[in-house]
Amino acid sequence: MSLVKPDAHRLSTKQKISVFIGTVGLFILVLALFNANFPNKSLFLILSMGFIAIGSIWFSNDLYLSKSKGIKNDGVWFKSISSKGIFAWVTGILLTCFYIVLYFFPQYLGQSSNGEPNTGLIALFDPLSNLLSGRPASQWFVYGTLYTVAILIFGYKFLLKYRHNRYEQIRTISVMFFQLSFAFLIPEFMYVMNSDLPYYDLKSIWPLNYYNFEQYRIDSFISAGSIGLAMLIFGLLSVFVITPILTYKYGKRWYCSWVCGCGGLAETAGDPFRQLSDKRLVAWNIERWVIHSVLVFVVVMTTAVIYTYLGYDPNKYWLTREVFLFLVLGFLTLVFVLTMIFKRNELGKDARYGAIGYFVVITALIAMHLFSSGSNLFIFQAETLRSTYSFLIGAIFSGVIGTGFYPLLGNRVWCRFGCPMAAILGFQQRLFSRFRITTNGGQCISCGNCSTYCEMGIDVRAYAQKGENIVRSSCVGCGICSAVCPRGVLKLENGSLKGRINPNDVLLGNDVNLMDLVNKKTN
């Protein structure tokens, strides 16, 4: 290494040509950003997206199809972009600036106001938006288009890289399909069929779509008739029925690794950065407290928002405020009591204390309102809570930090530290899911590949060395740890709940009689 450059893999001729083609496509977007007046926006949009797609696909083909199947990760710690070098910092800063402009200064992207025509980058996407829904583009349509294109292009690259692993192939095709259809095309077509319906990404479940139960959306659903009522019921079923059933059968991976758009971008575009996730114990402690605090925040905020408009119109909202609060309090109490009675052994000591603390805080806030004469729920006004959550969590955390910091903090920063949906699914996965990652400790050679490439910061090797099942709330079941294992030590399984969590079954060491342990399991 002292004689030869570690990252001495030069670009081939085909790769150089593909980089040139892709850069031309990006350059068209940059020109549009600076208000270039293209004579034919449809043509230049097609050229831009086409050049980017062709360049990326050609580059990926030459990069992976010229090698044998299997994970290489050649020089991943020697490349500037994937080891927090100068290119990583530049990329992170550019992504962060883009998200800041997208969320807070869309006029710089060309977003019009007062009915005026769009300009700049957003105007370039007007032809596509008019084709799909018959309306001009917005900054969110532009973002959705680029988001979808990124998942499709980098998803193709992911398929080539992991083409030796059937599980990775299927789940990548799944996230590509759900992003293209459920998140991008179907909402646009639904607007054409009924323009009164609010935008609805059918795969986005509360609390990710925390705005879904705001008054204007509820009014729109009710006014839209049967289809609006069906969508509202589907939203409720997704939270209380569909999610628990699928998590019980397959773990949180059914959503986080197979359906979710945030997870889809993290797994495809963010794949080169998965090794950057912090594996330290202090990071795990911060993760558990932050993500569950965000969940409590969204529960309090959603409760306050719904509370504010209940009772305005008894003919439209039959549910009264007091009944609603008692239902919320009753549901939280039921979940807490059942967990403490039947599943307390599945929770660590600090997890039990945390659950008690959060439960006491929420119930105290509700009780303070029920038994006082105050007009504001949870001390603050609902709109203050909503706007604060929207700014801090919905914009800064999930967008600016969650995606902009891929090259600096890893590809699952939002999923690991901030996503309230991940917190709910993790709670369900830990307590009653059939999913686990089984390990064969006798075959582990302690290479550390599994821990290195775990995007959720789990020290997988520590479990594998002990032959202990991996049942972690944060595990999204991406399966990369199994894919990069050279010995086949790790296996993703859906089995019986009995013996699923086995922290005391240490299979290596002198403190356990292995034959007694085997006989006990056999009986």
Side-chain angles (χ1 to χ4, degrees), residues 379-456:
I379 303 174
F380 300 101
Q381 292 184 354
E383 178 57 29
T384 301
L385 290 173
R386 189 205 63 78
S387 59
T388 303
Y389 183 90
S390 178
F391 175 76
L392 294 178
I393 310 301
I396 299 298
F397 206 155
S398 67
V400 177
I401 297 176
T403 306
F405 283 29
Y406 273 8
L408 305 177
L409 299 177
N411 61 326
R412 288 274 190 173
V413 179
W414 162 247
C415 307
R416 182 182 178 187
F417 292 96
C419 178
M421 183 66 178
I424 292 176
L425 295 177
F427 175 79
Q428 296 171 353
Q429 176 171 271
R430 174 71 184 180
L431 296 185
F432 61 80
S433 175
R434 298 172 63 229
F435 171 71
R436 84 289 307 272
I437 300 179
T438 59
T439 60
N440 182 352
Q443 293 292 321
C444 180
I445 59 174
S446 299
C447 66
N449 281 354
C450 53
S451 293
T452 298
Y453 295 102
C454 177
E455 58 194 356
M456 299 304 291

Coordinates of all heavy atoms in Angstrom, one line a residue, residues 379-456:
I379 N -50.9 21.9 27.0 CA -50.3 23.2 27.3 C -50.2 24.1 26.1 O -50.6 25.3 26.2 CB -48.9 23.0 28.0 CG1 -49.0 22.1 29.2 CG2 -48.3 24.3 28.3 CD1 -47.7 21.7 29.8
F380 N -49.7 23.6 25.0 CA -49.5 24.4 23.8 C -50.6 24.2 22.9 O -51.4 23.3 22.9 CB -48.2 24.0 23.1 CG -46.9 24.1 23.9 CD1 -46.4 23.0 24.5 CD2 -46.3 25.3 24.1 CE1 -45.2 23.1 25.3 CE2 -45.2 25.4 24.9 CZ -44.6 24.3 25.5
Q381 N -50.8 25.2 22.0 CA -51.8 25.1 21.0 C -51.5 24.0 19.9 O -50.3 23.8 19.7 CB -52.0 26.5 20.2 CG -52.6 27.6 21.1 CD -52.8 28.8 20.3 OE1 -52.4 28.9 19.2 NE2 -53.4 29.8 21.0
A382 N -52.5 23.4 19.4 CA -52.3 22.3 18.4 C -51.5 22.8 17.2 O -50.6 22.1 16.7 CB -53.6 21.7 18.0
E383 N -51.8 24.0 16.7 CA -51.0 24.4 15.5 C -49.6 24.7 15.8 O -48.7 24.4 15.0 CB -51.7 25.7 15.0 CG -51.0 26.3 13.8 CD -50.9 25.4 12.6 OE1 -51.8 24.5 12.5 OE2 -50.0 25.5 11.8
T384 N -49.3 25.1 17.1 CA -47.9 25.3 17.5 C -47.2 23.9 17.5 O -46.0 23.8 17.0 CB -47.8 25.9 18.8 OG1 -48.5 27.2 18.8 CG2 -46.3 26.1 19.3
L385 N -47.8 22.9 18.0 CA -47.2 21.6 18.0 C -47.0 21.1 16.6 O -46.0 20.5 16.3 CB -48.1 20.6 18.8 CG -48.2 20.8 20.3 CD1 -49.2 19.9 20.9 CD2 -46.8 20.5 21.0
R386 N -48.1 21.3 15.8 CA -48.0 20.7 14.4 C -46.9 21.4 13.6 O -46.1 20.8 12.9 CB -49.3 20.9 13.7 CG -49.4 20.2 12.3 CD -50.4 20.9 11.4 NE -50.0 22.2 11.1 CZ -49.1 22.5 10.2 NH1 -48.4 21.6 9.5 NH2 -48.8 23.8 10.0
S387 N -46.8 22.7 13.7 CA -45.8 23.5 12.9 C -44.4 23.1 13.4 O -43.4 23.0 12.6 CB -46.1 25.0 13.0 OG -46.1 25.4 14.3
T388 N -44.3 23.0 14.7 CA -43.0 22.6 15.3 C -42.5 21.3 14.9 O -41.4 21.0 14.5 CB -43.0 22.7 16.8 OG1 -43.4 24.0 17.3 CG2 -41.7 22.4 17.4
Y389 N -43.4 20.3 14.9 CA -43.1 18.9 14.4 C -42.8 18.9 13.0 O -41.8 18.3 12.5 CB -44.3 18.0 14.7 CG -44.0 16.5 14.3 CD1 -43.4 15.7 15.3 CD2 -44.2 16.1 13.1 CE1 -43.1 14.4 14.9 CE2 -43.9 14.8 12.7 CZ -43.4 13.9 13.6 OH -43.1 12.6 13.3
S390 N -43.6 19.7 12.2 CA -43.4 19.7 10.7 C -42.0 20.3 10.4 O -41.3 19.8 9.5 CB -44.5 20.6 10.1 OG -44.3 20.7 8.7
F391 N -41.6 21.3 11.1 CA -40.3 22.0 10.9 C -39.2 21.1 11.3 O -38.2 20.8 10.6 CB -40.3 23.3 11.5 CG -39.0 24.0 11.4 CD1 -38.6 24.6 10.2 CD2 -38.1 24.1 12.5 CE1 -37.3 25.2 10.1 CE2 -36.9 24.7 12.4 CZ -36.5 25.3 11.2
L392 N -39.2 20.7 12.6 CA -38.1 20.0 13.2 C -37.9 18.6 12.7 O -36.8 18.1 12.4 CB -38.2 20.0 14.7 CG -38.1 21.4 15.4 CD1 -38.2 21.2 16.9 CD2 -36.7 22.0 15.1
I393 N -39.0 17.9 12.7 CA -39.0 16.4 12.3 C -39.3 16.2 10.8 O -38.5 15.5 10.1 CB -40.0 15.6 13.2 CG1 -39.8 16.0 14.6 CG2 -39.8 14.1 12.9 CD1 -38.4 15.7 15.2
G394 N -40.4 16.8 10.3 CA -40.8 16.5 9.0 C -39.8 17.1 7.9 O -39.7 16.6 6.8
A395 N -39.2 18.2 8.3 CA -38.3 18.9 7.3 C -36.8 18.7 7.7 O -36.0 18.1 6.9 CB -38.6 20.4 7.2
I396 N -36.4 19.2 8.8 CA -35.0 19.3 9.2 C -34.4 17.8 9.4 O -33.4 17.5 8.8 CB -34.8 20.1 10.5 CG1 -35.2 21.5 10.2 CG2 -33.3 20.0 10.9 CD1 -34.4 22.2 9.2
F397 N -35.2 17.0 10.2 CA -34.6 15.7 10.5 C -34.7 14.7 9.4 O -33.7 14.1 8.9 CB -35.4 15.1 11.8 CG -34.6 14.2 12.6 CD1 -34.8 13.9 13.9 CD2 -33.5 13.4 12.0 CE1 -34.1 13.0 14.7 CE2 -32.8 12.5 12.7 CZ -33.1 12.3 14.1
S398 N -35.9 14.6 8.8 CA -36.1 13.6 7.8 C -35.5 14.0 6.5 O -35.1 13.1 5.7 CB -37.6 13.3 7.6 OG -38.3 14.4 7.1
G399 N -35.5 15.3 6.1 CA -35.1 15.7 4.9 C -33.6 16.2 4.9 O -32.7 15.5 4.3
V400 N -33.4 17.3 5.5 CA -32.1 18.0 5.5 C -31.0 17.0 6.1 O -30.0 16.8 5.5 CB -32.1 19.3 6.3 CG1 -30.7 19.9 6.3 CG2 -33.1 20.2 5.6
I401 N -31.3 16.5 7.3 CA -30.3 15.6 7.9 C -30.4 14.2 7.4 O -29.4 13.6 7.1 CB -30.4 15.7 9.5 CG1 -30.1 17.1 10.0 CG2 -29.5 14.7 10.1 CD1 -30.4 17.3 11.5
G402 N -31.6 13.7 7.4 CA -31.8 12.3 7.1 C -31.3 11.9 5.7 O -30.8 10.7 5.6
T403 N -31.4 12.7 4.7 CA -30.8 12.4 3.4 C -29.6 13.2 3.1 O -28.6 12.6 2.5 CB -31.9 12.7 2.3 OG1 -33.1 12.0 2.7 CG2 -31.4 12.2 1.0
G404 N -29.5 14.4 3.4 CA -28.4 15.2 3.1 C -27.1 14.7 3.8 O -26.0 14.9 3.3
F405 N -27.2 14.0 4.9 CA -26.0 13.6 5.6 C -25.7 12.1 5.3 O -24.9 11.5 6.0 CB -26.3 13.7 7.2 CG -26.1 15.1 7.7 CD1 -26.4 16.2 6.9 CD2 -25.7 15.4 8.9 CE1 -26.2 17.5 7.3 CE2 -25.5 16.7 9.4 CZ -25.8 17.7 8.6
Y406 N -26.2 11.5 4.2 CA -25.9 10.2 3.8 C -24.3 10.0 3.8 O -23.8 9.0 4.4 CB -26.4 9.9 2.4 CG -27.8 9.3 2.4 CD1 -28.6 9.3 3.5 CD2 -28.3 8.9 1.2 CE1 -29.9 8.8 3.4 CE2 -29.6 8.4 1.1 CZ -30.4 8.3 2.2 OH -31.7 7.8 2.1
P407 N -23.6 10.9 3.1 CA -22.1 10.6 3.0 C -21.4 10.8 4.3 O -20.2 10.5 4.3 CB -21.7 11.6 1.9 CG -23.0 12.1 1.3 CD -24.0 12.0 2.3
L408 N -22.0 11.4 5.3 CA -21.3 11.7 6.5 C -21.7 10.8 7.7 O -20.8 10.5 8.6 CB -21.5 13.2 6.9 CG -21.2 14.2 5.8 CD1 -21.5 15.6 6.3 CD2 -19.7 14.1 5.4
L409 N -23.0 10.4 7.8 CA -23.4 9.7 9.0 C -24.0 8.3 8.6 O -24.5 7.6 9.5 CB -24.5 10.5 9.7 CG -24.0 11.8 10.3 CD1 -25.2 12.6 11.0 CD2 -22.9 11.6 11.3
G410 N -24.0 8.0 7.3 CA -24.6 6.7 6.9 C -26.0 6.9 6.3 O -26.6 8.0 6.4
N411 N -26.5 5.8 5.7 CA -27.7 6.0 4.9 C -29.0 5.8 5.6 O -30.1 6.0 5.1 CB -27.7 4.9 3.7 CG -27.6 3.5 4.2 OD1 -27.0 3.2 5.3 ND2 -28.2 2.6 3.5
R412 N -28.9 5.5 6.9 CA -30.2 5.2 7.7 C -30.2 6.2 8.9 O -30.8 5.8 9.9 CB -30.3 3.8 8.1 CG -30.6 2.8 7.0 CD -32.1 2.7 6.8 NE -32.4 1.6 5.9 CZ -33.6 1.2 5.6 NH1 -34.7 1.8 6.2 NH2 -33.9 0.2 4.8
V413 N -29.7 7.4 8.8 CA -29.8 8.3 9.9 C -31.2 8.6 10.4 O -31.6 8.5 11.5 CB -29.1 9.6 9.5 CG1 -29.2 10.6 10.7 CG2 -27.7 9.4 9.1
W414 N -32.1 8.9 9.4 CA -33.5 9.1 9.7 C -34.2 7.9 10.3 O -34.9 7.9 11.3 CB -34.2 9.7 8.5 CG -35.7 9.6 8.6 CD1 -36.5 8.8 7.8 CD2 -36.6 10.3 9.4 NE1 -37.8 9.0 8.1 CE2 -37.9 9.9 9.1 CE3 -36.4 11.3 10.4 CZ2 -39.0 10.5 9.8 CZ3 -37.5 11.8 11.1 CH2 -38.8 11.4 10.8
C415 N -34.0 6.8 9.6 CA -34.6 5.5 10.0 C -34.2 5.1 11.4 O -35.0 4.5 12.1 CB -34.3 4.4 9.0 SG -34.7 4.8 7.2
R416 N -33.0 5.3 11.7 CA -32.4 4.8 12.9 C -32.7 5.8 14.1 O -33.1 5.3 15.2 CB -30.9 4.7 12.8 CG -30.2 4.1 14.0 CD -28.7 4.1 13.8 NE -28.0 3.6 15.0 CZ -26.7 3.6 15.1 NH1 -25.9 4.0 14.2 NH2 -26.2 3.1 16.3
F417 N -32.6 7.1 13.9 CA -32.7 8.0 15.0 C -34.0 8.8 15.1 O -34.4 9.3 16.1 CB -31.6 9.0 15.0 CG -30.2 8.4 15.2 CD1 -29.4 8.0 14.2 CD2 -29.8 8.2 16.5 CE1 -28.1 7.5 14.4 CE2 -28.5 7.7 16.8 CZ -27.7 7.3 15.7
G418 N -34.8 8.9 13.9 CA -35.9 9.8 13.9 C -37.2 9.3 13.5 O -38.2 9.9 13.9
C419 N -37.3 8.2 12.8 CA -38.5 7.8 12.1 C -39.5 7.2 13.2 O -39.2 6.1 13.8 CB -38.3 6.8 11.1 SG -39.8 6.2 10.3
P420 N -40.6 7.8 13.4 CA -41.6 7.3 14.4 C -42.2 6.0 13.9 O -42.6 5.2 14.8 CB -42.6 8.4 14.6 CG -42.5 9.2 13.3 CD -41.1 9.1 12.9
M421 N -42.4 5.8 12.6 CA -42.9 4.6 12.1 C -42.0 3.4 12.4 O -42.4 2.3 12.8 CB -43.1 4.7 10.6 CG -43.7 3.5 9.9 SD -45.4 3.2 10.5 CE -45.9 1.8 9.6
A422 N -40.7 3.7 12.3 CA -39.7 2.7 12.7 C -39.7 2.3 14.1 O -39.5 1.2 14.5 CB -38.3 3.1 12.3
A423 N -40.1 3.3 15.0 CA -40.2 3.1 16.4 C -41.4 2.2 16.7 O -41.3 1.2 17.5 CB -40.3 4.4 17.1
I424 N -42.5 2.4 16.1 CA -43.7 1.6 16.3 C -43.4 0.2 15.8 O -43.7 -0.8 16.5 CB -44.9 2.2 15.5 CG1 -45.3 3.5 16.2 CG2 -46.1 1.2 15.6 CD1 -46.4 4.2 15.5
L425 N -42.9 0.0 14.6 CA -42.6 -1.3 14.0 C -41.6 -2.0 14.8 O -41.6 -3.2 15.0 CB -42.2 -1.2 12.6 CG -43.2 -0.6 11.6 CD1 -42.6 -0.5 10.2 CD2 -44.5 -1.5 11.6
G426 N -40.6 -1.3 15.3 CA -39.6 -1.9 16.2 C -40.1 -2.4 17.5 O -39.7 -3.5 17.9
F427 N -41.0 -1.7 18.1 CA -41.7 -2.1 19.3 C -42.5 -3.4 19.0 O -42.4 -4.4 19.8 CB -42.7 -1.0 19.7 CG -43.5 -1.4 20.9 CD1 -43.0 -1.3 22.2 CD2 -44.8 -1.7 20.8 CE1 -43.8 -1.7 23.3 CE2 -45.6 -2.1 21.9 CZ -45.1 -2.0 23.1
Q428 N -43.2 -3.4 17.9 CA -44.0 -4.7 17.6 C -43.0 -5.8 17.3 O -43.3 -7.0 17.6 CB -44.9 -4.4 16.4 CG -46.0 -3.3 16.7 CD -46.7 -2.9 15.5 OE1 -46.4 -3.3 14.3 NE2 -47.8 -2.1 15.7
Q429 N -41.9 -5.5 16.5 CA -41.0 -6.6 16.2 C -40.3 -7.2 17.4 O -40.2 -8.4 17.5 CB -39.9 -6.0 15.2 CG -38.8 -7.0 14.8 CD -37.9 -6.4 13.8 OE1 -38.2 -6.6 12.6 NE2 -36.9 -5.8 14.1
R430 N -40.0 -6.4 18.3 CA -39.3 -6.9 19.5 C -40.2 -7.7 20.3 O -39.8 -8.8 20.9 CB -38.8 -5.7 20.3 CG -38.2 -6.1 21.7 CD -36.8 -6.7 21.5 NE -36.3 -7.2 22.8 CZ -35.1 -7.8 23.0 NH1 -34.4 -8.0 21.9 NH2 -34.7 -8.2 24.1
L431 N -41.5 -7.4 20.4 CA -42.4 -8.0 21.4 C -43.1 -9.3 20.8 O -43.2 -10.3 21.5 CB -43.4 -7.0 21.9 CG -42.8 -5.9 22.7 CD1 -44.0 -5.0 23.3 CD2 -41.9 -6.3 23.8
F432 N -43.6 -9.2 19.6 CA -44.4 -10.3 19.2 C -44.2 -10.8 17.7 O -45.0 -11.5 17.2 CB -45.9 -10.0 19.4 CG -46.4 -8.9 18.7 CD1 -46.8 -9.0 17.3 CD2 -46.6 -7.7 19.3 CE1 -47.3 -7.9 16.7 CE2 -47.1 -6.6 18.6 CZ -47.5 -6.7 17.3
S433 N -43.1 -10.4 17.1 CA -42.9 -10.8 15.7 C -42.2 -12.1 15.6 O -41.5 -12.5 16.5 CB -42.0 -9.8 15.0 OG -41.7 -10.2 13.7
R434 N -42.5 -12.9 14.5 CA -41.9 -14.2 14.3 C -40.5 -14.0 13.7 O -39.8 -15.0 13.5 CB -42.8 -15.0 13.5 CG -44.1 -15.3 14.1 CD -45.1 -16.0 13.1 NE -44.6 -17.3 12.7 CZ -44.5 -17.7 11.5 NH1 -44.9 -16.9 10.5 NH2 -44.1 -18.9 11.2
F435 N -40.1 -12.8 13.3 CA -38.9 -12.6 12.5 C -37.7 -12.6 13.5 O -37.8 -12.0 14.6 CB -39.0 -11.3 11.7 CG -37.6 -10.9 11.1 CD1 -37.1 -11.6 10.1 CD2 -36.9 -9.8 11.6 CE1 -35.9 -11.3 9.5 CE2 -35.7 -9.5 11.1 CZ -35.2 -10.2 10.0
R436 N -36.6 -13.2 13.1 CA -35.3 -13.1 13.8 C -34.2 -13.4 12.8 O -34.5 -14.0 11.7 CB -35.3 -14.0 15.0 CG -34.9 -15.4 14.7 CD -35.9 -16.3 14.0 NE -37.2 -16.2 14.6 CZ -37.6 -17.1 15.6 NH1 -36.8 -18.0 16.0 NH2 -38.8 -17.0 16.1
I437 N -33.0 -13.1 13.1 CA -31.8 -13.5 12.3 C -31.1 -14.5 13.2 O -30.6 -14.2 14.2 CB -30.9 -12.3 12.0 CG1 -31.7 -11.3 11.1 CG2 -29.7 -12.8 11.2 CD1 -30.8 -10.1 10.8
T438 N -31.1 -15.8 12.7 CA -30.4 -16.8 13.5 C -29.0 -16.9 13.1 O -28.6 -16.5 12.0 CB -31.1 -18.2 13.2 OG1 -31.0 -18.5 11.8 CG2 -32.5 -18.2 13.6
T439 N -28.2 -17.4 14.0 CA -26.7 -17.4 13.8 C -26.1 -18.8 14.1 O -26.7 -19.5 15.0 CB -26.0 -16.3 14.8 OG1 -26.3 -16.7 16.1 CG2 -26.5 -14.9 14.5
N440 N -25.1 -19.1 13.5 CA -24.3 -20.3 13.7 C -23.0 -19.9 14.2 O -22.0 -19.7 13.4 CB -24.3 -21.1 12.4 CG -23.6 -22.5 12.6 OD1 -23.0 -22.7 13.7 ND2 -23.6 -23.3 11.6
G441 N -22.9 -19.8 15.5 CA -21.6 -19.3 16.1 C -20.4 -20.1 15.8 O -19.3 -19.6 15.8
G442 N -20.6 -21.4 15.6 CA -19.5 -22.3 15.4 C -18.8 -22.1 14.1 O -17.6 -22.4 13.9
Q443 N -19.5 -21.4 13.1 CA -18.9 -21.1 11.8 C -18.4 -19.7 11.7 O -17.7 -19.4 10.7 CB -20.0 -21.3 10.7 CG -20.5 -22.8 10.5 CD -19.4 -23.6 9.9 OE1 -18.7 -23.2 9.1 NE2 -19.3 -24.9 10.4
C444 N -18.6 -18.9 12.7 CA -18.2 -17.5 12.6 C -16.7 -17.4 12.7 O -16.0 -18.0 13.6 CB -18.8 -16.7 13.7 SG -18.4 -14.9 13.8
I445 N -16.1 -16.6 11.8 CA -14.6 -16.4 11.8 C -14.2 -15.0 12.3 O -13.1 -14.6 12.1 CB -14.0 -16.7 10.4 CG1 -14.6 -15.8 9.4 CG2 -14.2 -18.2 10.0 CD1 -14.0 -15.9 8.0
S446 N -15.2 -14.3 12.7 CA -15.0 -12.9 13.3 C -14.4 -12.0 12.3 O -13.6 -11.1 12.7 CB -14.2 -13.0 14.6 OG -14.8 -13.8 15.6
C447 N -14.8 -12.1 11.0 CA -14.2 -11.2 10.0 C -14.8 -9.8 10.2 O -14.2 -8.8 9.8 CB -14.5 -11.7 8.6 SG -16.3 -11.7 8.2
G448 N -16.0 -9.6 10.7 CA -16.6 -8.3 11.0 C -17.3 -7.7 9.9 O -17.8 -6.6 10.0
N449 N -17.5 -8.4 8.7 CA -18.2 -7.9 7.6 C -19.6 -7.5 8.0 O -20.2 -6.5 7.6 CB -18.2 -8.9 6.4 CG -16.9 -8.9 5.7 OD1 -16.0 -8.1 5.9 ND2 -16.8 -9.8 4.7
C450 N -20.3 -8.4 8.7 CA -21.7 -8.2 9.1 C -21.9 -6.9 9.9 O -22.8 -6.1 9.6 CB -22.2 -9.4 9.9 SG -21.2 -9.8 11.3
S451 N -21.0 -6.6 10.9 CA -21.1 -5.4 11.7 C -20.7 -4.2 10.9 O -21.4 -3.1 11.0 CB -20.2 -5.5 12.9 OG -20.7 -6.5 13.8
T452 N -19.7 -4.3 10.0 CA -19.3 -3.2 9.2 C -20.4 -2.7 8.3 O -20.6 -1.4 8.2 CB -18.1 -3.6 8.4 OG1 -17.0 -3.9 9.2 CG2 -17.6 -2.4 7.5
Y453 N -21.1 -3.6 7.7 CA -22.1 -3.1 6.7 C -23.5 -3.1 7.2 O -24.4 -3.0 6.4 CB -22.0 -4.0 5.4 CG -20.6 -3.8 4.8 CD1 -19.6 -4.8 4.9 CD2 -20.4 -2.7 4.0 CE1 -18.4 -4.6 4.3 CE2 -19.1 -2.5 3.4 CZ -18.1 -3.4 3.6 OH -16.9 -3.2 3.0
C454 N -23.7 -3.2 8.5 CA -25.0 -3.1 9.1 C -25.3 -1.6 9.1 O -24.7 -0.8 9.8 CB -25.1 -3.6 10.5 SG -26.7 -3.4 11.3
E455 N -26.3 -1.2 8.3 CA -26.7 0.2 8.2 C -27.4 0.8 9.5 O -27.5 2.0 9.6 CB -27.6 0.4 7.0 CG -28.9 -0.4 7.1 CD -29.6 -0.4 5.8 OE1 -29.1 0.2 4.8 OE2 -30.6 -1.2 5.7
M456 N -27.8 -0.1 10.4 CA -28.5 0.3 11.6 C -27.6 0.4 12.8 O -28.0 0.6 13.9 CB -29.7 -0.6 11.9 CG -30.8 -0.6 10.8 SD -31.4 1.1 10.4 CE -32.3 1.5 11.9

